[in-house]
């Protein structure tokens, strides 16, 4: 039997760590245990930190990984203010590393759950940093996020027929022909809102049509940003519950989108910075670009098992995320969360960044006022382990004093630059 108890992280698929822990004792003559301790991937500094984390496990086969790859660079334990600053930090470091010759595809950002990468995906999109995501849909590719953004786009530009068709067909009884008739009514009228008011909606849509027209009118009058997005969400929620079985989870994504939107000065700027798929993109599945392209890797920790990258960033290494708040109180679940962090740390070859935002968005607090909590460093990295890490607060004090976030020395549109390189 070959296996690693320290990497048993799939209990949700019915994998059981006891299968390997109990194996030697299943025979009258106990099975012999041979540990494979030499590691060919990571530097000794990364392994020292990972060994310290897993050594606290309540039950395990004792082994300490070692390597001949020496490095004075300890893993970084980075404290940031919130998830927005976390996204800025990762984007800055990724660009800086690429300027130093580390290709994007040799860098990876890992996270506990798929929705944790939402703010980072927005920032990467804004900076034109190409990325591919494994272990869930891209945040901007999710159908419910596209629906909400389409409504904002339609209000911003009523001539956007693609956005208009998507939004109108959210209403029961509105199909392509009805949506086309409504747009024609808008074009004939001198006033766009009046055109929608005069349009006679199909019988099934009569109850929902006035609310849609009222929302459109409010958005056109620019009642305020980012409250516009809240108004859209409140209008959309009944349709979200009707269309999607997992409406609670999707609603949390929209709440997080509101938090992201609050960082933009206007609706126009927000929509300009977000790049949606072209109209003929019909698949919501996140997949890799062309094999010759360079792109940053985003992945859940579970999907990253067995992989390795030169530089690895681990998001949200705080209690409430690693370990998940769902695991609190259950010893077996807490121990699996410890192994999850161990797996994330040992994906790194040369450089490891563990990031701890002080304020953390909690998806499960949808109806409890402020959905952020003040987070503390994950309990799996104790005070006695801190010598294995270099501690860093970001942004540095000088940047906080000036009110500016440090930016890379060289600002590049990576996609345009790489297209030039290929030519």
């Amino acid at each position: 039997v070959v296996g690693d108890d320290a990497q048993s992280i799939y209990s949700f698929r019915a994998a059981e760590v006891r299968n390997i822990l109990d194996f030697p004792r299943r025979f009258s003559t106990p099975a012999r245990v041979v540990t494979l301790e030499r590691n060919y991937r990571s530097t000794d500094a990364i392994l020292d930190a990972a060994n310290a984390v897993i050594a606290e496990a309540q039950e395990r086969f004792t082994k300490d990984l070692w390597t001949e790859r020496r490095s004075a660079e300890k893993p970084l334990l980075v404290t940031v203010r919130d998830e927005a600053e976390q996204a800025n930090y990762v984007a800055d470091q990724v660009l800086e590393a690429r300027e130093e010759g580390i290709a994007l595809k040799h860098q990876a950002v890992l996270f506990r759950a798929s929705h944790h990468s939402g703010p980072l995906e927005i920032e990467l999109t804004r900076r034109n940093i190409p990325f591919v995501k494994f272990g869930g849909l891209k945040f901007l590719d999710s159908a419910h996020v596209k629906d909400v953004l389409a409504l904002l786009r339609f209000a911003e530009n009523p001539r956007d027929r693609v956005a208009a068709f998507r939004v109108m067909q959210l209403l029961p009884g509105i199909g392509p022909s009805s949506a086309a008739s409504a747009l024609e009514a808008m074009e004939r009228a001198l006033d766009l809102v009046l055109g929608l008011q005069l349009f006679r909606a199909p019988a099934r849509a009569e109850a929902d049509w006035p609310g849609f027209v009222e929302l459109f009118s409010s958005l056109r009058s620019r009642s305020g940003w980012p409250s516009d997005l809240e108004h859209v969400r409140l209008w959309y929620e009944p349709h979200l519950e009707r269309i999607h079985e997992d409406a609670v989870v999707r609603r949390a994504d929209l709440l997080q989108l509101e938090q992201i939107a609050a960082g933009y000065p206007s609706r126009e700027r927000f929509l300009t910075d977000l790049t949606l798929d072209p109209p003929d993109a019909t698949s919501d599945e996140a997949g890799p670009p062309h094999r010759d392209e360079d792109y940053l890797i985003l992945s859940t920790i579970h999907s990253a098992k067995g992989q390795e990258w030169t530089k690895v960033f681990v998001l949200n290494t705080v209690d409430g995320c690693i370990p998940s708040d769902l695991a609190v109180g259950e010893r077996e679940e807490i121990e699996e969360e410890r192994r999850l962090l161990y797996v994330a740390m040992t994906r790194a070859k040369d450089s490891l960044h563990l990031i701890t935002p002080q304020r953390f968005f909690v998806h499960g607090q949808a109806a409890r006022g402020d959905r952020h909590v003040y987070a503390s460093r994950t309990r799996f990295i104790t005070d006695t382990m801190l010598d294995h890490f270099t501690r860093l607060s970001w942004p540095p004090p000088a940047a906080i004093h000036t009110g500016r976030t440090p930016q890379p020395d060289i600002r590049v549109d990576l996609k345009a630059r790489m297209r030039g390189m290929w030519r």
Side-chain angles (χ1 to χ4, degrees):
V1 171
V2 179
D4 187 357
D5 56 297
Q7 296 190 56
S8 177
I9 58 174
Y10 289 103
S11 64
F12 63 93
R13 293 183 184 171
E16 173 54 64
V17 68
R18 300 241 54 95
N19 288 337
I20 190 166
L21 289 175
D22 296 342
F23 184 82
R25 298 190 295 271
R26 292 193 176 196
F27 306 92
S28 56
T29 302
R32 178 187 174 199
V33 178
V34 179
T35 56
L36 305 177
E37 297 181 323
R38 183 173 182 178
N39 182 286
Y40 296 88
R41 173 187 299 148
S42 306
T43 65
D44 59 339
I46 292 174
L47 290 182
D48 286 345
N51 284 335
V53 168
I54 201 63
E56 296 295 315
Q58 293 192 10
E59 187 176 7
R60 69 185 184 108
F61 288 122
T62 302
K63 60 181 181 298
D64 289 309
L65 300 183
W66 64 273
T67 183
E68 293 181 350
R69 299 191 63 230
R70 305 299 176 190
S71 174
E73 180 185 344
K74 295 180 180 180
L76 284 173
L77 196 56
V78 186
T79 300
V80 296
R81 182 179 57 196
D82 52 28
E83 290 177 279
E85 291 291 3
Q86 178 174 244
N88 278 320
Y89 173 79
V90 171
D92 281 359
Q93 293 296 314
V94 164
L95 288 173
E96 182 178 314
R98 189 180 182 280
E99 291 302 316
E100 293 172 355
I102 303 176
L104 293 179
K105 63 176 61 178
H106 294 156
Q107 305 181 58
V109 184
L110 308 183
F111 32 87
R112 175 67 177 79
S114 179
H115 57 258
H116 290 158
S117 64
L120 176 61
E121 293 180 43
I122 299 293
E123 184 63 19
L124 295 175
T125 299
R126 188 182 71 81
R127 298 200 195 191
N128 291 316
I129 301 175
F131 66 92
V132 61
K133 181 176 179 180
F134 297 96
L137 298 179
K138 288 183 178 180
F139 187 73
L140 293 180
D141 286 348
S142 303
H144 52 294
V145 174
K146 282 186 173 182
D147 289 342
V148 167
L149 293 179
L151 185 44
L152 291 176
R153 290 169 60 208
F154 179 44
E156 189 71 22
N157 176 20
R159 294 184 181 276
D160 189 336
R161 296 180 67 89
V162 173
F165 268 83
R166 184 181 188 104
V167 170
M168 290 185 186
Q169 291 183 79
L170 292 173
L171 302 178
I174 299 289
S177 59
S178 298
S181 298
L183 289 175
E184 291 173 3
M186 290 178 65
E187 293 172 358
R188 288 194 302 267
L190 296 177
D191 180 88
L192 296 174
V193 175
L194 179 61
L196 287 179
Q197 290 174 337
L198 295 176
F199 172 70
R200 186 169 182 177
R204 286 185 58 205
E206 284 182 352
D208 295 303
W209 188 255
F212 168 67
V213 175
E214 181 181 352
L215 175 65
F216 180 78
S217 175
S218 172
L219 294 176
R220 287 294 294 166
S221 66
R222 297 181 178 275
S223 57
W225 180 259
S227 61
D228 286 353
L229 190 50
E230 181 183 11
H231 296 156
V232 170
R233 174 179 59 80
L234 293 174
W235 172 85
Y236 178 66
E237 281 182 353
H239 303 290
L240 181 70
E241 294 172 359
R242 175 174 52 83
I243 297 170
H244 299 286
E245 294 182 357
D246 55 346
V248 173
V249 175
R250 292 175 185 262
R251 180 176 182 269
D253 284 344
L254 300 182
L255 290 168
Q256 189 171 46
L257 186 65
E258 287 182 36
Q259 299 290 335
I260 295 169
Y264 287 81
S266 67
R267 184 173 73 198
E268 181 182 14
R269 176 67 180 274
F270 177 68
L271 292 172
T272 299
D273 282 356
L274 300 187
T275 303
L276 296 179
D277 280 353
D280 58 351
T282 57
S283 173
D284 273 349
E285 290 297 328
H290 189 274
R291 60 187 177 88
D292 292 332
E293 291 186 31
D294 192 18
Y295 46 84
L296 179 67
I297 304 297
L298 273 57
S299 175
T300 60
I301 300 173
H302 288 96
S303 296
K305 190 168 180 287
Q307 304 297 316
E308 61 182 41
W309 295 276
T310 301
K311 196 178 192 79
V312 169
F313 303 87
V314 183
L315 303 184
N316 301 326
T317 52
V318 296
D319 267 5
C321 181
I322 305 177
S324 166
D325 57 352
L326 299 177
V328 173
E330 298 292 336
R331 186 181 72 85
E332 294 81 5
E333 293 179 1
I334 290 292
E335 288 302 304
E336 180 159 324
E337 295 286 314
R338 188 193 312 276
R339 297 192 293 268
L340 195 67
L341 177 60
Y342 174 80
V343 168
M345 295 174 67
T346 52
R347 299 311 94 199
K349 296 167 66 176
D350 298 337
S351 181
L352 174 64
H353 299 236
L354 305 180
I355 312 173
T356 60
Q358 294 176 312
R359 295 183 76 240
F360 174 66
F361 183 90
V362 180
H363 267 58
Q365 292 192 347
R368 304 179 193 171
D370 185 4
R371 290 165 293 275
H372 285 82
V373 297
Y374 287 92
S376 58
R377 183 183 72 235
T378 173
R379 70 189 71 176
F380 301 139
I381 300 177
T382 63
D383 290 344
T384 60
M385 300 178 192
L386 293 179
D387 287 345
H388 295 297
F389 298 88
T390 297
R391 302 174 73 181
L392 172 69
S393 293
W394 194 92
I400 296 174
H401 179 71
T402 59
R404 295 193 306 270
T405 297
Q407 300 294 330
D409 294 332
I410 301 174
R411 308 301 298 161
V412 292
D413 180 329
L414 285 173
K415 290 182 178 177
R417 177 170 176 173
M418 287 188 286
R419 283 195 294 269
M421 291 169 61
W422 295 332
R423 285 195 292 269

